[in-house]
Amino acid sequence: MASCSGCGPGYRSPLDAMKGPREEIVYLPCVYRNTDILKPDYLATVDVDPKSATYCQVIHRLPMPNLRDELHHTGWNACSSCFGDASKKRNRLILPSLVSSRVYVVDVGTNPRAPQIHKMVEPVDLYWKCNLANPHTSHCLGNGQIMISCLGDPSGNGKGGFILLDGETFEVVGNWEHTGDAVPFGYDFWYQPRHNVMISTEWGAPKALADGFNPAHVMEGHYGSALHVWDWTTHRRLQTLDLGEEGAIPLEVRFLHDPDATEGYVGCALPSTVFRFYKTPKGDWAAEKVISVPSKKVEGWMLPEMPGLITDILISLDDRFLYFSNWLHGDVRQYDITDRKKPRLVGQVFLGGSIVSDGPVKVLEDPENQPQPPPRIIKGRRVYGGPQMLQLSLDGRRLYLTTSLFSSWDKQFYPDMVKEGSVMMQIDVNSVSGGLSLNKNFLVDFGKEPDGPVLAHELRYPGGDCTSDIWV
């Protein structure tokens, strides 16, 4: 390994990754489910190279062969976890469908600017071999396999289990967890092999969340509020950390990138909190709330109080900054996390959201005393929706974001975005002392797509990024 100067995919370390080349293209799943357009979802390739003649344009579209898949998050067949293995290449993008339970394997190696479908894993394989459905997060493993977390069982009930795919044939191998060890709800996961640990999170039961958000479903127990700690080697669940009401709907989970680290953060959507989880001196795991975005008292909205709704978080590759999006309030925040227990707010920018000053919602009381932000208009185009999925450049200087969360929730909270299409924006980051400012010359308008406005979701670079790569 010491003599290996990058023989496998990815980078030797997170700090090496920061010196990687600037991103030139980005892949985004684009969703037509829950819009008025009956077309398949597709994978868009967007040019983000400022020197290019097609900068800020969709340069390729790969439509799926089926309707209403709800493409959502993507992962790799191989990443930095396989860095020492010269036989591995990062040349297949794994594209699970959150609603249809189909998994597409896309060839991005032959021509990165024009991906093609390599294989389809049909839902019946997940149902029969694993008794799982609604696949969400995909991570490649150091052993060459691919692991995908699932939200439910084939009947739409909550069930947090994991399927394994063979990294060469992409056939379903079976469950990662032992029989009977699945947890009540599933969503995201991150593993840290040096500490023999994996941590998974909870969204809700697919049949509850599939058609929109009903607050009563939280009280009825259809949404999760726990982190699950797993033994990475034996695949046994060791602990469940119940975060309670202050940690309801814990979504994206991020360990620090340093593979020696024994801590990380999770964003909890409903109360808009961030919890730090960590290994205790006695060897078990614990969690504590370290950030809280207060709800605003409002009128003209579905509830008397509006949460920020933290929907995505990420950590810079040097483990210095934490970023998250408040999808409802409409802001993106940057925190200095050099003091892991006391994150410090150093950057904030508003990009749309539900409390814009010319909208139907009036803020009656805001514990943070912030004025209602003006609507965000970029290159003459109004931003509907709020900041949602995030992706940071390897060097930490550019933050890209999109506005779509999940088509049925988009339709419920931001009907104008469904009508006009989502957008992709870019924020310039001060990666020395902190600070965020919108790049007013960057906009990808998914309202102008050939088949009509579409909902673009997650962002992924061909060479890997800070939300897909894990170091072992």
Side-chain angles (χ1 to χ4, degrees):
M1 182 69 192
S3 63
C4 167
S5 58
C7 39
Y11 300 91
R12 184 190 302 280
S13 72
L15 295 180
D16 279 357
M18 290 190 81
K19 300 172 194 151
R22 181 183 168 129
E23 66 286 353
E24 294 181 352
I25 56 173
V26 180
Y27 301 126
L28 302 96
C30 292
V31 176
Y32 274 125
R33 182 178 163 266
N34 275 310
T35 71
D36 293 334
I37 298 163
L38 193 62
K39 292 276 184 179
D41 297 350
Y42 58 93
L43 183 70
T45 306
V46 171
D47 186 333
V48 292
D49 178 2
K51 301 191 294 294
S52 166
T54 51
Y55 181 53
C56 280
Q57 291 176 31
V58 179
I59 56 171
H60 186 265
R61 298 167 186 87
L62 173 65
M64 300 300 122
N66 301 281
L67 293 169
R68 301 190 186 93
D69 278 316
E70 187 94 33
L71 301 180
H72 197 62
H73 285 205
T74 64
W76 295 109
N77 64 319
C79 75
S80 294
S81 64
C82 304
F83 177 77
D85 186 345
S87 71
K88 298 283 186 291
K89 278 193 176 71
R90 191 198 308 259
N91 59 2
R92 301 285 184 266
L93 189 66
I94 313 301
L95 206 50
S97 305
L98 194 56
V99 170
S100 72
S101 297
R102 206 171 268 110
V103 180
Y104 296 100
V105 181
V106 176
D107 174 3
V108 294
T110 305
N111 183 353
R113 299 176 84 85
Q116 298 302 319
I117 289 180
H118 173 73
K119 185 183 173 81
M120 268 191 300
V121 180
E122 290 295 346
V124 69
D125 284 350
L126 278 63
Y127 300 165
W128 285 106
K129 291 183 180 175
C130 304
N131 193 30
L132 289 171
N134 313 101
H136 186 271
T137 300
S138 171
H139 277 302
C140 46
L141 311 185
N143 65 5
Q145 289 184 319
I146 295 150
M147 184 160 148
I148 307 177
S149 59
C150 291
L151 267 60
D153 68 14
S155 304
N157 304 302
K159 184 181 183 184
F162 307 88
I163 64 169
L164 290 171
L165 298 184
D166 183 281
E168 302 293 328
T169 65
F170 304 102
E171 296 289 325
V172 176
V173 177
N175 297 68
W176 178 85
E177 78 282 2
H178 295 276
T179 305
D181 256 8
V183 292
F185 302 103
Y187 185 70
D188 195 20
F189 72 100
W190 197 281
Y191 63 88
Q192 202 80 319
R194 290 188 192 177
H195 302 288
N196 192 35
V197 69
M198 177 182 91
I199 292 189
S200 68
T201 64
E202 300 185 328
W203 187 5
K207 62 184 176 190
L209 60 86
D211 295 319
F213 177 65
N214 179 348
H217 286 157
V218 179
M219 307 308 294
E220 291 163 12
H222 296 305
Y223 284 89
S225 61
L227 301 182
H228 301 285
V229 183
W230 303 79
D231 184 300
W232 185 236
T233 310
T234 66
H235 307 185
R236 292 283 180 199
R237 180 158 50 112
L238 301 174
Q239 264 182 282
T240 290
L241 305 175
D242 189 348
L243 306 180
E245 275 184 32
E246 288 197 313
I249 317 184
L251 296 179
E252 312 298 332
V253 60
R254 314 290 186 210
F255 261 99
L256 296 180
H257 295 288
D258 176 358
D260 283 328
T262 54
E263 60 190 323
Y265 300 90
V266 61
C268 304
L270 200 53
S272 307
T273 54
V274 175
F275 276 71
R276 168 183 170 256
F277 57 86
Y278 58 96
K279 194 173 187 177
T280 72
K282 64 177 203 230
D284 62 352
W285 292 78
E288 61 179 355
K289 185 178 74 169
V290 291
I291 300 172
S292 184
V293 176
S295 293
K296 301 177 193 290
K297 285 194 175 154
V298 294
E299 65 181 20
W301 196 63
M302 65 184 280
L303 297 169
E305 292 204 0
M306 183 191 290
L309 209 78
I310 294 176
T311 49
D312 196 17
I313 72 167
L314 57 76
I315 297 172
S316 61
L317 284 166
D318 56 7
D319 292 333
R320 276 200 57 210
F321 294 107
L322 171 81
Y323 300 84
F324 64 75
S325 52
N326 283 310
W327 191 58
L328 290 177
H329 288 177
D331 57 318
V332 175
R333 300 189 182 204
Q334 175 192 28
Y335 286 79
D336 182 321
I337 53 168
T338 40
D339 181 342
R340 308 294 185 206
K341 297 177 185 179
K342 291 183 181 164
R344 192 166 52 87
L345 181 64
V346 291
Q348 182 182 25
V349 61
F350 276 87
L351 302 160
S354 294
I355 55 164
V356 285
S357 54
D358 67 347
V361 176
K362 185 177 180 201
V363 176
L364 305 175
E365 197 178 306
D366 179 2
E368 293 182 315
N369 288 320
Q370 293 182 324
Q372 291 190 230
R376 181 62 79 172
I377 294 164
I378 307 171
K379 297 174 93 165
R381 162 71 146 93
R382 183 178 178 129
V383 175
Y384 296 101
Q388 210 284 107
M389 291 307 295
L390 307 173
Q391 192 55 266
L392 188 65
S393 61
L394 294 178
D395 63 10
R397 293 176 187 167
R398 289 167 302 286
L399 187 69
Y400 297 92
L401 56 144
T402 55
T403 49
S404 164
L405 170 64
F406 175 60
S407 66
S408 52
W409 292 34
D410 293 351
K411 192 175 179 177
Q412 178 181 359
F413 291 101
Y414 292 117
D416 285 339
M417 177 173 63
V418 175
K419 203 166 70 213
E420 304 288 340
S422 67
V423 296
M424 174 178 167
M425 299 171 274
Q426 187 237 303
I427 292 169
D428 292 319
V429 177
N430 180 332
S431 58
V432 179
S433 55
L436 303 176
S437 59
L438 177 71
N439 178 348
K440 290 177 181 160
N441 297 313
F442 185 104
L443 181 78
V444 184
D445 183 353
F446 286 94
K448 292 193 163 73
E449 286 294 270
D451 285 330
V454 75
L455 301 167
H457 189 60
E458 194 208 35
L459 307 129
R460 188 69 71 214
Y461 307 137
D465 45 56
C466 66
T467 58
S468 62
D469 275 41
I470 291 176
W471 281 266
V472 299

